[in-house]
Every structure is written in C-alpha cells, then in structure tokens.
Amino acid sequence: MVEAMTSREADLTSHEERVSAARSERAAQEQAINDIANEAARLDARLGSLRGEISTAASRRESGETRLRLLQGESQAAMAAAAEITARLEDIARRRMESASALESARAEQAAAASAHEIAQRQRQETEYALNVASKEAAAVESRLEVLRQLQQQGEGFDEGTQAILRGLDNPEFFKPTVVGALADQIRVEDRYIPAIEAALGATLQAIIFKDPSAAQAAIQTLTSKQLGQAAAIPRDWIGEVPQNLRQLPESATAWASDCVGGEGEARNLARRLLDGILIVENLDTAFRVKDANRDLAVATLSGEFIDRTGIIRGGKSGENSGHSALARKAQIESLDRDLMASIGKLQSATAARESAVEALEAAQTRLLESREDVQSAQVENASCENEKQLSERQHADLEARSGAFVREVGQIEESLRASHLKLEELDAAINATLTDLESTRARRGDAERNVQAAREREASAIEALNEVRVEVATNRQQQENLARQRGPMTARLTELAEILATRRNDISNYERRISELESESDNLRSSIESLAAEQSEIEARGAGVLAARDEIRQQADSIEAALRASRSHLVGLQDKKGRLEVRAAQLDMRAENLRNHVSQRYQTDLEAFEPDSYALITAFRDRTKKKAAGTPEEGEPESSAAPVVDPEVSEHQVIEQQVTESPEPIETPEISEDQGIPWARIEEIVAELTERVESMGPVNLDAIQEFEELEQRQLFLEKQNADLVNSKVELMEVISRINKTTKELFAGTFTKIRDNFQVMFTELFGGGAANLILVDESDPLESGIEIIAKPPGKQLKSVSLLSGGERTMTAVALLFGIYMVKPSPFCVLDEMDAPLDESNISRFIKILDRFVDQSQFVVITHNKRTISRAEMLYGVTMEEHGVSKLVSVRFSEKSQADNAVATSVAESFGKHGDLHSERQASSDQMV
C-alpha cells in the first residue's frame, strides 16, 4: 500500500508540473493579448483626444475674439469705480479714528466699573456669609437656651414630688406664690466644684424653700393625701445665718465646700449650713488620706465621689443622664445667656454690613451696565467703520486685480489665437499616423486571442486530470491517518491496564498487613477496659461521700441567705422612707419658690422688700369709689364705662400685691388692726377687674414695626419676582407656540416627502401594489401616531400588522429607504433583514441596496448567499475545532461578474464547513 501511495504521489507531482506549464503558457498568451489591447485602447484614446483638441482649438479661437471685445469695455468701467472707492476710503479712515478713540475711553470706564462691581459683589457675599453664620449661631444658642430654661421651669431631673410642688400641686394659684424655689436653682457654684457639691448635697439639692411654714405643711399634706410622690421642704424662716468658718483648711484639701457656694438670701445660707464640715479634694486617693487624718469631717472629690462623716463612701457613674444636673444646667443657662448676647451683637453688625454691601453692589451694577452700553455702542461704530473699510479695500483690490487681469488676458488671448492656427496643422498630421498604427494593432490582437483559446483548453484538461489524482491521493492519506490514530489509543490502553493491575496487587498486600495490626490493637483495648471499670467503681464510691457533705453545706448557706434577704428588705424599706421624706421636703421648697417667682414675675415686685400700706389702700379705694359714683371714666376706658378708678399715687401692681399678700381675713398686724372697716370683698372685686383689663390688653410686641418693614420689603420682592415669572411665562408660551408652528411645518413637509418616497419604493419592491402613511390624529400631528397601510399586488388594502413576515419586511425596507431618500445616513446596519424573503424579493432587495450604496455604507448581517455575493468585504465566523472559533475575511477590490462568482463560491465553502462540523459540535456560521 505504501508503494502504491508513493507512485500516486509521483503521478500527482508530474500532473502538477504539466498544469503549471500550461498555466504559464496561458498567462503569457493572455499577457500578450492584454498588451495588444492596451496599445489599441491607447491609440483609440489618442485618436479621440486629437479630434477633441481640434474642436477645442477652434472653439477657443472664436471665444478668444469675443472675450477680447468684452475686456476692453470692462476695463474702462473698472477705472471709474476705482476713483470712487478711493474717495470713500479716505472718509472711512477719518470715522474709524474717531470711533477708536471713543471705544478706548469706554473700555477703560468698563474695566473700572467691572472691578468695582467685582469688589462689591465679593463684599456682599462675604457679608451674607457672615450674616448666615451669625444667624445660625444665634438661633442655635437661643434654641438650646430655650430648651434648658423649659427644663429648669419644669423641674426636669427632680423627683416626682418635687416636680408636683413646682407645678403648684392641685392649687397652683395658692402654692406657686408661696414657693421660693428649689435649692439647686437658688445657689451658684463654679463649674469645677459642681460634681463635688452635688455629691455632698445629694437629694437635698431638690429641697423646696417655702415662704412660710404653713405653706410647706400644706404642700407636704397634699403630697401625702394625693399620693403625688415625696419631696423635701423647708420654710424660709427656719433658715438661720451661717456662722463664719474659722477652721483651718487641712493639707491636700482644695477648699471648704461651704465656701464654694454663692448666691443671695436663705438658699445660700441653707446650702452653707448643709455643707458645713465638708472638704473638697482633687481625687479619691486624696479623699482617703484626708478622711484618715480628719475622721469628724466629710470629704467630696472634684469628680463626684463623697465620704460622709460616718465613713460611707458614695461614688461611681451610671452612664445615663451625665451632665444634666440642676447645677450644671443652671451654669449652662448663664453661659448661653452671655453667648446669646454676643451672637445678637454679631448678627446686628453683620446685618448693617450686608445692607451697605448691597447698596454698593447696586451702584456698581448700574455703573457697569452703563459702561457696557457705551462700549457696545462704540464697538458697533468701530466694527461698522472696519467693515466698510474692508469692503472698500476688497473692492479696490478687486478692481486693480481685474485691471491687471484684463491686460494679461488680452495678451494671452492674442498669443492663444496665434498658437491655435499652428496646433490645428499639427493635429491633422498626428491623426493620419494614428489611424495607420490602429489597423495593424487590431490584426495582431486577433492572432493572440486564438492562441489563448488553445492554451486554455490544454490547461483545463491538465487541471481535470490533476483533480482526479488529488482525490485519490487524499483518500489514501485519510485511510493511513485513521489507522495511525487507532494504533495510538490501543497502545495507551494496554499500558494503563498494566498499571492498574500492579496497583491492585499492592492494595491487597497492604490490606492484609492492616488486618493483623487491628487484631493486636483490639486485644490491648480489651485489657484497658477491664482496668478502667475497676477504677470507675472506686471513684463512684468517693463521689457519694462528697455529695452528702455538699448537701449539708448547702443547707447552712440557705439559712444564711434567708437572714441576709430579710436584712436587705428592711434596709430597702428604710431607704425608701428616707427618699420619700427628702422628696417631700424638696417639693415643698420648690412650691414655695414657685409661689415667690410667680408673684415677682406677675406683679413685678420684690416680696422681701414689700411692706403693706393700709393707708394707701384705703385712700385709693375711697378715691375710686368717689369717681365711680360721680361717673368719671378712667384713663383708657370709654366714656360710657362706669368702671372704678385708682388713685394715681397708688399703682396697679401695688393694689394687686396687696391682694396677694393679704388674706381674705386680715392678718393681725399693727397697720391693719387700727382700721377694721376695710371692705376686702369689694377690694377683691376691684383687683379682679383691673387684672382682667390688664390681661385683655395682651402682650406688647416691641418688634412689630421692624417686622412690618421686613414683611413689606419681602412683599415687594415677591411681587417683583411674580411679575418676572408672569412675563417669563408669557415669553415661554410665545416661544413654545413658535416652536410648535415651525415644527408642524417641518414635520408636514418631511412627512409628505417620506410618504411619496415610501409609495414609490413600495411599488418598486413589490412590482406593483399601493401603500400609504396616515396620521392617526391630524389635528395634533406632533403627538399623533402613524398608521402604515400596504396593499401588495393581488391583495386588499390593509394595515401592515395583517401582512405576512416577508411582506412586513419588504414594507419596512420600503419605509427605511423612503426615509433615506429624504435624509441619507452615512452608515446603516441591517440585521438579517433578508431572512424571511424569498428569491424574487431577495433580488429586489439587492437592487435597492445597489442604488444607495454610493451615498451610504451598509453593514449587513445575513445567511443568504446572494446577498453575500454583493458585498465588497466578507467576514465569516466558523468553528473548525471544538471550542475554537476562527474569523475568515475576504476583500474584493472590483465589482465584476468574476468577483460575484468567487463570493458565491466562498459563501458555499463557509456553508460546507458549517455542515461538516455541525455533526460534531452543532455549530453554525454567521456572515457579515
């Protein structure tokens, strides 16, 4: 078989040599024909060019004579126009110098105005930023201050009973005037000493100071009866003066706690009395050392730990509500008051600076606008002069150029006329010689064509024989390769089986060795289990004894824990009772302070400095009674009012104070006991009437004028903005109307063109039929849909949605190229558009592509061979091996019948590859 294969390969080589020789001979003959054809074409072209040159020379001579007469007349007109332009240039130069001077001065003014405007705008931005910062800062401080004040008024952080007293319990009108306030709200302490003072005073800080003992007693009784909680209360009269502390401050101590408390009145005395004998130190270590040296003193640290006189230590932190004590809150309120005043000052200065900056900016804007108008007018004038000058210069240059051109053209025409005569004689001689050469070339071409035909026949027979030998050789090679491929896998399989056999034998020997080892290990484990069982029995016996001892100890611990729980319960009860008493006392103190604050705020008087004046009260009452009886109206009352009046020497708040401080039943005082005829019931009516009149007036808003001015400016600003918005709306509506009108006109024109083109393209693609584009809503074409109506030949007129797939595709192609005819695109991508088309429709589709290929570049994705044959560049993707894609590309330089045939063969070869590999990997080709 190998010898036969060798002989066939030798025959194949000899056939290839014969084919190569025949092909070389045929190529030489074709080259000779091409040379002869080229020479004949050259002679034909030479003959045509010579005849054309004769005709051109004759025409040129006639046109030259006519042009010569015209140039003489144009030259005279150009000279007259040049003189007129020269005079105009002189006038333009003078005007241009004047406009340049005005423009330079206007630009200088504009630069100065722009610099001033920029400075003013920067100043306004800086002042607005400063104003915003100051406003935000003041608002933040005021908001925080308001929250802290509300918390202070509500007694936030105090016990339930204390808050109830501060609210006035069940009778605010009675209790609030009798309350001076809570101890924490009446004293002042430096920030660094606040934790120490709070630790030393503890719940006593919530103690409420009352003005008299009866109010404190009534508040405590109300808390008990209403079950409102506990509070600590102390009458103001029970607080005595604090003796001066003459004791020496121990070493390592920071200060005496009583010396760290400030304030006025009884609250300070009470706090100093409570803090008597208490030291303040830096930390807990120092507190322990000081306490060891002074057992009779109490010690508080700056961080809040406290050791009382008995040695009990209180300390630690819960992690909740730290920093929210009454003393710390009061210090924060005082600090925020100072910050708020500073912020208000900054805000006022920033407002003034902003107003001045706005005024300066408005002036700068006015100046800048004026300067811009001046510059613009100067630029317009200067540009006008420059344009006129350039236009005149161009006209003058054109006239000069035309004059020179006239002279040169006259000379050229005369020279051309002389040369034309000589050229005609030369061309006649050249035509005769060319005709002779052309006849001889045509005879030689006929002989060469006959030789080429014979060479082609010899080459075809050699190629046919060569293909037969190639098929036979390829078949033998395929058989030999198949045998070689089968031999390799068989050898590999035998080797693999031998390796597996050796591996199995080794595994058997290993398993036998492992079995013997496991049997010996099993014997050892049995002996270990017997020894461990004996040890377990011994341990269980010892465990029973330990359990009995544990039960006895547990019984003793239970009895001790029961006694401890009883002691703790008793201690908790005592602590609760103590807490309730402290809360009650603090609530009473707070109630008294609230009553005092209410009187001070409501009637604007100091109760401590107030002294009842019975004589003034009686005098005021008598004068009011007399005026009421006489019918004299009071100041601020209508004429018809019969309300009583008060003596001008006695103010209203004094009368009200008398009502508050005097009870309905007169207190036995020296002033009142002398006159038992005071009509308290009538005085109460008068006070109530006056109080109602004062309250009916409402609060006086001192900022109303400023607020009115600000609101008025805001109203003017908003009216101006509203007018601008209305004008802008009108302008926008006009612009929208113009845009809609123009769009409708453009749309109508474009739609008509596309409809006409669509109808023409549809008839051409379908070979007849009719089509149309219809607006769904003609009243609103911009928002209307478009319905496509198509009637292929032999069918009724219907919507495009009722057509078949191929008919819809052809309709879409007609619409696409109808749009292309209105506005061509440089690129177009068609993705398998010809897939549903049959052969006749494919031909029409290709003709349409050929019509538009000169003005657009088409990228077509297709499987159709006829469409592929029309391409100038082909790209195919195939899979010759499993999982490996390959890109195949073919470029055609010229479109000819031979190229189309090659493209068709390439497409068929791609298809054959796809069919060949689809049996193995189900792959398909896609051509672009």
Side-chain angles (χ1 to χ4, degrees):
M1 184 175 180
V2 176
E3 295 176 355
M5 184 68 183
T6 305
S7 64
R8 298 309 298 171
E9 288 180 353
D11 293 341
L12 177 63
T13 304
S14 63
H15 280 85
E16 288 178 350
E17 291 176 354
R18 288 197 296 271
V19 169
S20 178
R23 187 173 295 167
S24 300
E25 183 182 358
R26 191 257 304 170
Q29 294 295 332
E30 288 180 348
Q31 183 64 35
I33 289 176
N34 291 333
D35 293 340
I36 294 171
N38 293 334
E39 185 178 359
R42 182 180 61 78
L43 292 173
D44 286 335
R46 175 64 176 167
L47 182 60
S49 64
L50 291 174
R51 289 173 178 172
E53 288 179 2
I54 291 173
S55 177
T56 303
S59 300
R60 189 179 300 164
R61 182 181 60 187
E62 294 176 357
S63 63
E65 294 174 352
T66 304
R67 180 62 178 166
L68 183 61
R69 291 192 296 272
L70 293 175
L71 289 176
Q72 293 175 354
E74 292 179 359
S75 177
Q76 296 175 358
M79 293 176 63
E84 181 181 355
I85 292 173
T86 302
R88 190 167 59 187
L89 281 174
E90 294 176 357
D91 182 58
I92 291 173
R94 179 183 55 78
R95 288 170 50 201
R96 188 169 179 273
M97 292 179 61
E98 295 176 356
S99 62
S101 176
L103 178 60
E104 184 177 359
S105 61
R107 283 179 176 172
E109 176 63 21
Q110 182 184 8
S115 177
H117 180 267
E118 184 178 359
I119 294 172
Q121 192 170 15
R122 186 166 56 252
Q123 289 177 352
R124 189 195 66 176
Q125 293 175 352
E126 293 174 354
T127 54
E128 286 182 349
Y129 176 76
L131 179 62
N132 292 333
V133 171
S135 178
K136 291 179 181 178
E137 182 180 354
V141 173
E142 187 176 4
S143 176
R144 188 178 178 190
L145 181 61
E146 182 66 21
V147 172
L148 291 176
R149 283 177 175 170
Q150 290 179 359
L151 293 176
Q152 186 181 27
Q153 292 176 0
Q154 296 172 1
E156 184 68 24
F158 290 164
D159 294 336
E160 183 179 358
T162 305
Q163 293 182 5
I165 293 177
L166 293 176
R167 289 194 300 267
L169 296 173
D170 58 347
N171 189 6
E173 295 180 356
F174 171 74
F175 284 107
K176 282 188 176 181
T178 63
V179 174
V180 177
L183 176 62
D185 295 334
Q186 302 298 315
I187 60 176
R188 293 195 304 273
V189 181
E190 294 184 13
D191 293 344
R192 67 186 298 253
Y193 294 125
I194 286 178
I197 298 302
E198 287 181 343
L201 293 178
T204 313
L205 280 171
Q206 301 183 23
I208 305 297
I209 301 176
F210 283 85
K211 296 179 181 178
D212 56 76
S214 60
Q217 181 181 0
I220 296 297
Q221 291 174 352
T222 303
L223 286 176
T224 303
S225 61
K226 302 291 185 181
Q227 296 183 358
L228 299 177
Q230 294 182 345
I234 181 172
R236 183 174 56 187
D237 297 339
W238 293 4
I239 303 174
E241 294 292 335
V242 180
Q244 186 176 4
N245 187 10
L246 301 177
R247 302 172 66 178
Q248 185 178 3
L249 184 67
E251 187 178 359
S252 300
T254 302
W256 290 103
S258 58
D259 296 338
C260 298
V261 178
E264 298 178 356
E266 296 79 2
R268 181 190 59 184
N269 296 335
L270 176 60
R272 290 186 175 183
R273 185 178 294 278
L274 293 173
L275 296 173
D276 186 31
I278 298 176
L279 292 170
I280 297 178
V281 297
E282 290 289 337
N283 49 46
L284 191 59
D285 294 338
T286 306
F288 271 82
R289 292 196 305 270
V290 172
K291 180 63 179 176
D292 288 338
N294 302 274
R295 296 298 179 88
D296 59 331
L297 299 177
V299 183
T301 66
L302 294 177
S303 58
E305 294 88 4
F306 181 67
I307 305 175
D308 62 8
R309 290 181 176 84
T310 61
I312 297 176
I313 305 171
R314 294 197 298 270
K317 292 184 178 179
S318 62
E320 298 179 358
N321 297 328
S322 58
H324 295 285
S325 64
L327 293 177
R329 185 161 53 241
K330 185 177 180 180
Q332 289 179 0
I333 290 174
E334 294 176 355
S335 175
L336 289 175
D337 280 329
R338 294 190 295 270
D339 294 342
L340 181 60
M341 295 303 295
S343 299
I344 291 174
K346 292 180 181 178
L347 184 62
Q348 292 175 352
S349 60
T351 303
R354 179 182 177 276
E355 292 177 355
S356 61
V358 168
E359 293 177 357
L361 179 60
E362 291 177 352
Q365 286 178 344
T366 303
R367 181 183 174 189
L368 181 60
L369 291 175
E370 294 176 353
S371 62
R372 284 176 178 174
E373 292 177 356
D374 295 340
V375 169
Q376 186 176 4
S377 60
Q379 287 177 344
V380 170
E381 180 64 23
N382 192 19
S384 177
C385 294
E386 183 68 24
N387 291 335
E388 291 182 6
K389 178 185 175 184
Q390 293 177 358
L391 178 61
S392 300
E393 289 177 349
R394 285 196 300 268
Q395 291 176 352
H396 189 271
D398 292 341
L399 291 175
E400 291 180 350
R402 287 175 63 188
S403 299
F406 291 158
V407 176
R408 290 190 299 273
E409 190 172 357
V410 168
Q412 291 174 358
I413 290 173
E414 292 175 351
E415 182 65 26
S416 177
L417 290 175
R418 288 191 297 270
S420 296
H421 292 291
L422 298 176
K423 187 67 174 179
L424 288 173
E425 296 175 356
E426 294 176 358
L427 290 176
D428 290 336
I431 287 175
N432 294 328
T434 304
L435 289 173
T436 304
D437 294 338
L438 183 58
E439 291 297 332
S440 62
T441 301
R442 287 174 178 171
R444 287 190 290 113
R445 179 178 179 180
D447 297 337
E449 287 178 350
R450 287 189 292 274
N451 295 332
V452 168
Q453 184 65 29
R456 284 179 178 175
E457 292 175 356
R458 290 192 297 274
E459 182 184 2
S461 61
I463 289 174
E464 184 178 358
L466 176 63
N467 289 336
E468 292 177 357
V469 174
R470 280 180 177 176
V471 170
E472 187 175 356
V473 170
T475 304
N476 293 333
R477 286 178 180 174
Q478 184 69 26
Q479 293 176 356
Q480 187 177 4
E481 290 175 358
N482 291 336
L483 292 174
R485 285 196 296 270
Q486 292 177 1
R487 184 182 303 162
M490 296 296 293
T491 304
R493 182 59 179 170
L494 290 174
T495 305
E496 183 180 357
L497 291 174
E499 293 176 355
I500 292 173
L501 181 61
T503 302
R504 294 294 183 271
R505 289 174 179 173
N506 292 332
D507 292 342
I508 291 171
S509 61
N510 291 333
Y511 289 151
E512 291 176 351
R513 185 175 62 258
R514 181 62 178 166
I515 289 170
S516 62
E517 292 176 355
L518 291 174
E519 289 178 352
S520 61
E521 185 177 356
S522 177
D523 296 337
N524 295 332
L525 291 175
R526 288 192 188 95
S527 60
S528 299
I529 289 171
E530 293 176 356
S531 62
L532 290 174
E535 185 177 355
Q536 180 182 4
S537 301
E538 183 180 356
I539 291 173
E540 288 177 352
R542 290 200 302 269
V546 172
L547 290 174
R550 186 192 66 179
D551 293 338
E552 184 179 356
I553 294 172
R554 181 178 292 172
Q555 292 176 358
Q556 295 176 0
D558 291 341
S559 61
I560 293 172
E561 287 180 356
L564 180 60
R565 283 195 296 271
S567 300
R568 287 177 176 173
S569 299
H570 181 65
L571 178 60
V572 169
L574 294 176
Q575 290 178 347
D576 291 342
K577 186 176 181 181
K578 177 184 177 184
R580 288 193 297 270
L581 294 175
E582 291 177 349
V583 169
R584 180 64 177 171
Q587 288 176 346
L588 293 175
D589 293 342
M590 189 176 296
R591 172 64 178 171
E593 181 63 23
N594 286 340
L595 292 174
R596 180 183 294 274
N597 291 338
H598 175 72
V599 173
S600 300
Q601 295 176 2
R602 180 66 179 83
Y603 304 110
Q604 302 296 322
T605 185
D606 187 4
L607 294 180
E608 296 179 358
F610 176 75
E611 295 181 358
D613 190 352
S614 301
Y615 177 76
L617 176 62
I618 295 171
T619 303
F621 176 73
R622 289 175 179 173
D623 292 342
R624 182 177 180 84
T625 304
K626 291 178 181 179
K627 290 182 179 181
K628 186 174 182 181
T632 305
E634 298 182 14
E635 182 180 357
E637 274 189 354
E639 293 295 333
S640 60
S641 176
V645 296
V646 182
D647 192 335
E649 297 179 358
V650 182
S651 63
E652 290 181 357
H653 73 271
Q654 288 177 335
V655 177
I656 297 171
E657 289 169 0
Q658 187 69 24
Q659 160 63 15
V660 174
T661 55
E662 300 293 341
S663 60
E665 296 179 0
I667 300 175
E668 296 296 332
T669 58
E671 293 79 6
I672 301 301
S673 60
E674 294 178 358
D675 187 5
Q676 299 296 331
I678 299 177
W680 291 109
R682 181 57 184 158
I683 290 177
E684 289 179 358
E685 294 177 359
I686 296 173
V687 171
E689 182 181 355
L690 294 175
T691 303
E692 183 180 359
R693 288 179 55 197
V694 171
E695 291 178 351
S696 64
M697 294 174 61
V700 178
N701 186 5
L702 301 179
D703 298 332
I705 298 176
Q706 183 178 357
E707 292 177 358
F708 173 76
E709 293 176 353
E710 293 176 354
L711 291 175
E712 187 178 14
Q713 293 178 359
R714 178 64 176 171
Q715 181 184 6
L716 294 176
F717 174 74
L718 292 176
E719 289 177 352
K720 184 177 179 181
Q721 294 293 321
N722 182 53
D724 292 341
L725 291 175
V726 171
N727 295 332
S728 300
K729 178 182 178 182
V730 173
E731 293 176 359
L732 287 175
M733 293 304 293
E734 293 177 354
V735 172
I736 291 171
S737 177
R738 291 198 301 270
I739 291 174
N740 290 337
K741 181 179 178 182
T742 305
T743 306
K744 287 181 180 179
E745 294 175 355
L746 295 176
F747 177 80
T750 305
F751 181 76
T752 302
K753 294 178 182 178
I754 293 175
R755 180 170 57 189
D756 297 340
N757 296 336
F758 172 60
Q759 293 172 351
V760 173
M761 294 301 300
F762 184 87
T763 304
E764 183 176 349
L765 283 172
F766 281 90
N772 195 9
L773 298 177
I774 299 175
L775 290 175
V776 177
D777 184 7
E778 296 183 356
S779 61
D780 189 6
L782 298 181
E783 299 294 335
S784 172
I786 298 175
E787 185 176 2
I788 302 174
I789 303 298
K791 180 187 176 183
K795 292 188 178 182
Q796 295 294 329
L797 189 66
K798 53 186 175 181
S799 176
V800 71
S801 60
L802 302 178
L803 300 177
S804 64
E807 290 172 342
R808 283 200 298 268
T809 302
M810 294 296 287
T811 304
V813 171
L815 181 58
L816 171 64
F817 288 106
I819 297 173
Y820 254 62
M821 294 172 69
V822 176
K823 188 176 182 180
S825 175
F827 295 97
C828 180
V829 180
L830 303 178
D831 187 1
E832 296 191 15
M833 181 175 285
D834 55 355
L837 303 180
D838 54 13
E839 291 299 324
S840 61
N841 289 330
I842 288 290
S843 299
R844 297 190 183 101
F845 175 69
I846 293 173
K847 290 180 181 179
I848 295 299
L849 284 180
D850 291 338
R851 283 180 55 185
F852 289 91
V853 76
D854 294 334
Q855 58 187 8
S856 297
Q857 183 175 356
F858 289 90
V859 179
V860 185
I861 301 172
T862 181
H863 290 278
N864 192 280
K865 298 176 182 178
R866 296 184 63 187
T867 305
I868 294 174
S869 65
R870 304 298 297 172
E872 296 179 358
M873 185 72 186
L874 301 180
Y875 292 96
V877 180
T878 185
M879 191 179 292
E880 295 181 354
E881 299 180 9
H882 180 68
V884 179
S885 298
K886 182 179 180 182
L887 180 65
V888 181
S889 62
V890 178
R891 180 186 295 275
F892 302 104
S893 59
E894 296 180 359
K895 295 296 294 177
S896 63
Q897 186 175 1
D899 293 338
N900 293 337
V902 173
T904 304
S905 64
V906 171
E908 292 176 351
S909 66
F910 287 153
K912 290 179 181 179
H913 276 293
D915 296 336
L916 181 62
H917 294 287
S918 62
E919 297 178 358
R920 287 185 310 189
Q921 57 205 14
S923 67
S924 62
D925 297 327
Q926 186 175 15
M927 297 302 301
V928 180

